[in-house]
Amino acid sequence: MQARDVMVSPVITVDANATVREVAQLLLARRISAVPVVDADNKILGIVTEGDLIHRAEAGTERPYSWWLRLLTGDAQLATDYVKSHAVKVDDIMTRDVVTAAPETPLHEIAMRLEDNQIKRVPIVNQLGQLVGIVSRANLLQAIASARPKLEVSLSDASIRKSLLEELKKQSWAHTFNLNATVRNGVVDLWGFAPSVAERTAIRVAAEAIPGVVTVNDHLLETPTFVY
């Protein structure tokens, strides 16, 4: 799936002249946690999130600085925090370096950008840089929840074993020289060694995902990879 398959469109936006109070009201009224800031051509200029509105003078939540912390913190940072807590226009508080993606971006890349940049949403822009949608963490969850199960045809015991071993051989983490599997009436028994709980779990998951598998019995021992 691609970003275009799950993105929300059209996107609620504001212009750079919107006030902080107007944005706060908009977030509450529309039950959203962020709003992109765009220009007259719908090109993204920045984004304002709930996080940008946490430390505000109106709420008495400005970031506190003790006298010694003021000595350690540079004047530039103190001035930046003052702007964040007192600015009237969103142009002064919005995040300008926005992580974006194209409509054709695969969802796994969207997930990586969310994780790598520790953000909660990615605006989607076309080739002209115009905002066409937005993908949030919630949209990725919706894609998982609405996924249709694959058409499953039960495999024979021999085919199940073959499929499992072929799948594990593709994985760099799977030390297949230490593994064996027996299958009878759809019941998979895993034998051998696994160097970690994570690998042991992954092997079980791989087995459970094969069509026709009824249950998986894990007899693996946690042993370093050099033990045969």
Side-chain angles (χ1 to χ4, degrees):
M1 297 182 72
Q2 300 177 336
R4 65 167 76 253
D5 298 317
V6 301
M7 69 183 188
V8 174
S9 181
V11 184
I12 299 170
T13 63
V14 296
D15 62 44
N17 290 319
T19 66
V20 172
R21 183 171 181 271
E22 289 170 342
V23 169
Q25 292 174 336
L26 181 64
L27 296 180
L28 289 173
R30 304 305 288 268
R31 296 184 179 181
I32 54 178
S33 59
V35 59
V37 183
V38 298
D39 63 15
D41 295 322
N42 205 39
K43 293 184 178 180
I44 192 163
L45 301 174
I47 191 167
V48 180
T49 71
E50 290 176 328
D52 295 316
L53 305 179
I54 290 179
H55 300 291
R56 290 292 302 180
E58 300 93 329
T61 55
E62 304 101 313
R63 193 182 302 276
Y65 283 100
S66 60
W67 66 269
W68 59 268
L69 192 56
R70 288 181 178 275
L71 293 177
L72 297 175
T73 304
D75 289 343
Q77 183 59 55
L78 293 174
T80 297
D81 288 346
Y82 183 87
V83 170
K84 277 283 188 180
S85 61
H86 290 79
V88 174
K89 300 289 183 65
V90 296
D91 184 53
D92 292 315
I93 69 168
M94 67 182 183
T95 299
R96 297 179 183 275
D97 186 15
V98 183
V99 177
T100 63
E104 301 79 19
T105 305
L107 288 192
H108 70 86
E109 290 188 18
I110 297 291
M112 290 299 296
R113 293 184 194 187
L114 292 174
E115 184 178 33
D116 292 344
N117 295 281
Q118 298 183 335
I119 53 179
K120 297 181 179 180
R121 79 281 303 159
V122 174
I124 308 302
V125 298
N126 61 20
Q127 294 180 343
L128 299 177
Q130 296 170 317
L131 183 67
V132 295
I134 194 165
V135 176
S136 68
R137 292 179 181 179
N139 300 136
L140 296 184
L141 293 179
Q142 291 162 1
I144 296 171
S146 61
R148 299 292 183 267
K150 296 179 180 179
L151 181 61
E152 294 186 354
V153 178
S154 295
L155 303 176
S156 66
D157 288 346
S159 296
I160 288 174
R161 183 177 187 275
K162 180 181 178 181
S163 296
L164 173 59
L165 295 179
E166 288 180 347
E167 173 64 20
L168 292 177
K169 286 178 181 179
K170 298 176 186 177
Q171 310 306 321
S172 60
W173 48 261
H175 301 88
T176 53
F177 52 84
N178 277 338
L179 298 175
N180 191 22
T182 58
V183 185
R184 183 176 182 181
N185 298 325
V187 177
V188 178
D189 286 273
L190 300 173
W191 306 92
F193 306 101
S196 67
V197 173
E199 183 177 330
R200 185 174 177 177
T201 301
I203 294 168
R204 173 180 56 78
V205 168
E208 291 174 342
I210 297 175
V213 171
V214 177
T215 189
V216 177
N217 297 319
D218 181 1
H219 307 288
L220 295 171
L221 300 176
E222 294 175 27
T223 309
T225 56
F226 56 80
V227 177
Y228 288 78

mmCIF file of all heavy atoms in Angstrom, residues 116-136:
data_model
loop_
_atom_site.group_PDB
_atom_site.id
_atom_site.type_symbol
_atom_site.label_atom_id
_atom_site.label_comp_id
_atom_site.label_asym_id
_atom_site.label_seq_id
_atom_site.Cartn_x
_atom_site.Cartn_y
_atom_site.Cartn_z
ATOM 1 N N ASP A 116 11.826 7.356 12.732
ATOM 2 C CA ASP A 116 13.158 7.975 12.717
ATOM 3 C C ASP A 116 13.128 9.419 13.173
ATOM 4 O O ASP A 116 14.082 9.913 13.798
ATOM 5 C CB ASP A 116 13.761 7.897 11.312
ATOM 6 C CG ASP A 116 14.096 6.466 10.901
ATOM 7 O OD1 ASP A 116 14.143 5.598 11.789
ATOM 8 O OD2 ASP A 116 14.291 6.229 9.696
ATOM 9 N N ASN A 117 12.057 10.146 12.854
ATOM 10 C CA ASN A 117 11.964 11.568 13.187
ATOM 11 C C ASN A 117 11.141 11.829 14.441
ATOM 12 O O ASN A 117 10.958 12.986 14.823
ATOM 13 C CB ASN A 117 11.366 12.337 12.007
ATOM 14 C CG ASN A 117 12.259 12.322 10.785
ATOM 15 O OD1 ASN A 117 13.231 13.069 10.709
ATOM 16 N ND2 ASN A 117 11.949 11.464 9.830
ATOM 17 N N GLN A 118 10.643 10.743 15.049
ATOM 18 C CA GLN A 118 9.844 10.840 16.275
ATOM 19 C C GLN A 118 8.699 11.841 16.108
ATOM 20 O O GLN A 118 8.510 12.745 16.924
ATOM 21 C CB GLN A 118 10.732 11.218 17.458
ATOM 22 C CG GLN A 118 11.805 10.184 17.770
ATOM 23 C CD GLN A 118 12.627 10.527 18.988
ATOM 24 O OE1 GLN A 118 12.756 11.683 19.381
ATOM 25 N NE2 GLN A 118 13.210 9.524 19.610
ATOM 26 N N ILE A 119 7.947 11.652 15.029
ATOM 27 C CA ILE A 119 6.798 12.497 14.742
ATOM 28 C C ILE A 119 5.551 11.633 14.654
ATOM 29 O O ILE A 119 5.634 10.400 14.617
ATOM 30 C CB ILE A 119 6.990 13.288 13.426
ATOM 31 C CG1 ILE A 119 7.336 12.332 12.278
ATOM 32 C CG2 ILE A 119 8.090 14.335 13.599
ATOM 33 C CD1 ILE A 119 7.516 13.012 10.938
ATOM 34 N N LYS A 120 4.396 12.281 14.607
ATOM 35 C CA LYS A 120 3.139 11.543 14.631
ATOM 36 C C LYS A 120 2.361 11.597 13.318
ATOM 37 O O LYS A 120 1.375 10.895 13.161
ATOM 38 C CB LYS A 120 2.242 12.077 15.757
ATOM 39 C CG LYS A 120 2.826 11.885 17.140
ATOM 40 C CD LYS A 120 1.887 12.409 18.207
ATOM 41 C CE LYS A 120 2.463 12.197 19.601
ATOM 42 N NZ LYS A 120 1.547 12.711 20.662
ATOM 43 N N ARG A 121 2.818 12.446 12.392
ATOM 44 C CA ARG A 121 2.129 12.521 11.106
ATOM 45 C C ARG A 121 3.088 13.032 10.031
ATOM 46 O O ARG A 121 4.077 13.725 10.345
ATOM 47 C CB ARG A 121 0.873 13.397 11.167
ATOM 48 C CG ARG A 121 1.042 14.881 11.117
ATOM 49 C CD ARG A 121 1.442 15.539 12.376
ATOM 50 N NE ARG A 121 0.513 15.256 13.454
ATOM 51 C CZ ARG A 121 0.830 15.376 14.705
ATOM 52 N NH1 ARG A 121 2.056 15.761 15.053
ATOM 53 N NH2 ARG A 121 -0.036 15.112 15.657
ATOM 54 N N VAL A 122 2.783 12.682 8.772
ATOM 55 C CA VAL A 122 3.591 13.108 7.640
ATOM 56 C C VAL A 122 2.674 13.730 6.580
ATOM 57 O O VAL A 122 1.810 13.047 6.036
ATOM 58 C CB VAL A 122 4.356 11.924 7.001
ATOM 59 C CG1 VAL A 122 5.084 12.371 5.734
ATOM 60 C CG2 VAL A 122 5.344 11.334 7.988
ATOM 61 N N PRO A 123 2.844 15.026 6.280
ATOM 62 C CA PRO A 123 2.075 15.646 5.196
ATOM 63 C C PRO A 123 2.477 15.034 3.849
ATOM 64 O O PRO A 123 3.654 14.734 3.620
ATOM 65 C CB PRO A 123 2.460 17.121 5.278
ATOM 66 C CG PRO A 123 2.931 17.310 6.692
ATOM 67 C CD PRO A 123 3.620 16.024 7.038
ATOM 68 N N ILE A 124 1.517 14.860 2.977
ATOM 69 C CA ILE A 124 1.764 14.290 1.656
ATOM 70 C C ILE A 124 1.666 15.411 0.614
ATOM 71 O O ILE A 124 0.654 16.114 0.553
ATOM 72 C CB ILE A 124 0.737 13.189 1.325
ATOM 73 C CG1 ILE A 124 0.688 12.150 2.465
ATOM 74 C CG2 ILE A 124 1.078 12.523 0.003
ATOM 75 C CD1 ILE A 124 2.012 11.481 2.766
ATOM 76 N N VAL A 125 2.722 15.585 -0.173
ATOM 77 C CA VAL A 125 2.769 16.674 -1.155
ATOM 78 C C VAL A 125 2.995 16.101 -2.551
ATOM 79 O O VAL A 125 3.638 15.064 -2.730
ATOM 80 C CB VAL A 125 3.883 17.690 -0.812
ATOM 81 C CG1 VAL A 125 3.624 18.343 0.537
ATOM 82 C CG2 VAL A 125 5.255 17.012 -0.804
ATOM 83 N N ASN A 126 2.453 16.796 -3.554
ATOM 84 C CA ASN A 126 2.643 16.365 -4.933
ATOM 85 C C ASN A 126 3.956 16.912 -5.491
ATOM 86 O O ASN A 126 4.746 17.523 -4.765
ATOM 87 C CB ASN A 126 1.443 16.778 -5.798
ATOM 88 C CG ASN A 126 1.249 18.286 -5.842
ATOM 89 O OD1 ASN A 126 2.170 19.067 -5.551
ATOM 90 N ND2 ASN A 126 0.052 18.715 -6.208
ATOM 91 N N GLN A 127 4.176 16.718 -6.789
ATOM 92 C CA GLN A 127 5.437 17.128 -7.402
ATOM 93 C C GLN A 127 5.633 18.638 -7.379
ATOM 94 O O GLN A 127 6.763 19.120 -7.491
ATOM 95 C CB GLN A 127 5.494 16.617 -8.842
ATOM 96 C CG GLN A 127 5.564 15.095 -8.943
ATOM 97 C CD GLN A 127 5.624 14.612 -10.374
ATOM 98 O OE1 GLN A 127 5.303 15.343 -11.296
ATOM 99 N NE2 GLN A 127 6.053 13.367 -10.558
ATOM 100 N N LEU A 128 4.554 19.380 -7.248
ATOM 101 C CA LEU A 128 4.644 20.841 -7.189
ATOM 102 C C LEU A 128 4.831 21.351 -5.763
ATOM 103 O O LEU A 128 4.919 22.558 -5.539
ATOM 104 C CB LEU A 128 3.386 21.471 -7.797
ATOM 105 C CG LEU A 128 3.111 21.141 -9.269
ATOM 106 C CD1 LEU A 128 1.793 21.772 -9.708
ATOM 107 C CD2 LEU A 128 4.261 21.624 -10.143
ATOM 108 N N GLY A 129 4.897 20.429 -4.811
ATOM 109 C CA GLY A 129 5.054 20.817 -3.419
ATOM 110 C C GLY A 129 3.754 21.202 -2.753
ATOM 111 O O GLY A 129 3.760 21.743 -1.645
ATOM 112 N N GLN A 130 2.640 20.927 -3.422
ATOM 113 C CA GLN A 130 1.331 21.280 -2.859
ATOM 114 C C GLN A 130 0.815 20.164 -1.951
ATOM 115 O O GLN A 130 0.988 18.981 -2.242
ATOM 116 C CB GLN A 130 0.337 21.530 -3.991
ATOM 117 C CG GLN A 130 0.690 22.719 -4.863
ATOM 118 C CD GLN A 130 -0.169 22.798 -6.101
ATOM 119 O OE1 GLN A 130 -0.426 21.795 -6.758
ATOM 120 N NE2 GLN A 130 -0.624 23.994 -6.427
ATOM 121 N N LEU A 131 0.192 20.569 -0.873
ATOM 122 C CA LEU A 131 -0.333 19.620 0.097
ATOM 123 C C LEU A 131 -1.566 18.919 -0.467
ATOM 124 O O LEU A 131 -2.533 19.569 -0.861
ATOM 125 C CB LEU A 131 -0.698 20.364 1.385
ATOM 126 C CG LEU A 131 -1.202 19.522 2.556
ATOM 127 C CD1 LEU A 131 -0.086 18.621 3.085
ATOM 128 C CD2 LEU A 131 -1.727 20.423 3.673
ATOM 129 N N VAL A 132 -1.531 17.582 -0.490
ATOM 130 C CA VAL A 132 -2.667 16.820 -1.025
ATOM 131 C C VAL A 132 -3.255 15.866 0.006
ATOM 132 O O VAL A 132 -4.316 15.288 -0.222
ATOM 133 C CB VAL A 132 -2.263 16.038 -2.286
ATOM 134 C CG1 VAL A 132 -1.889 16.985 -3.410
ATOM 135 C CG2 VAL A 132 -1.117 15.069 -1.995
ATOM 136 N N GLY A 133 -2.571 15.675 1.132
ATOM 137 C CA GLY A 133 -3.087 14.772 2.146
ATOM 138 C C GLY A 133 -2.171 14.736 3.344
ATOM 139 O O GLY A 133 -1.168 15.447 3.407
ATOM 140 N N ILE A 134 -2.516 13.896 4.302
ATOM 141 C CA ILE A 134 -1.682 13.729 5.489
ATOM 142 C C ILE A 134 -1.876 12.309 6.011
ATOM 143 O O ILE A 134 -2.984 11.762 5.963
ATOM 144 C CB ILE A 134 -2.023 14.774 6.574
ATOM 145 C CG1 ILE A 134 -0.939 14.821 7.654
ATOM 146 C CG2 ILE A 134 -3.392 14.529 7.179
ATOM 147 C CD1 ILE A 134 -1.029 16.062 8.547
ATOM 148 N N VAL A 135 -0.786 11.695 6.456
ATOM 149 C CA VAL A 135 -0.837 10.340 7.008
ATOM 150 C C VAL A 135 -0.345 10.391 8.443
ATOM 151 O O VAL A 135 0.761 10.877 8.710
ATOM 152 C CB VAL A 135 0.033 9.363 6.196
ATOM 153 C CG1 VAL A 135 0.038 7.981 6.862
ATOM 154 C CG2 VAL A 135 -0.477 9.243 4.767
ATOM 155 N N SER A 136 -1.163 9.900 9.358
ATOM 156 C CA SER A 136 -0.802 9.878 10.775
ATOM 157 C C SER A 136 -0.607 8.444 11.240
ATOM 158 O O SER A 136 -0.875 7.484 10.506
ATOM 159 C CB SER A 136 -1.903 10.533 11.613
ATOM 160 O OG SER A 136 -3.080 9.736 11.585
#
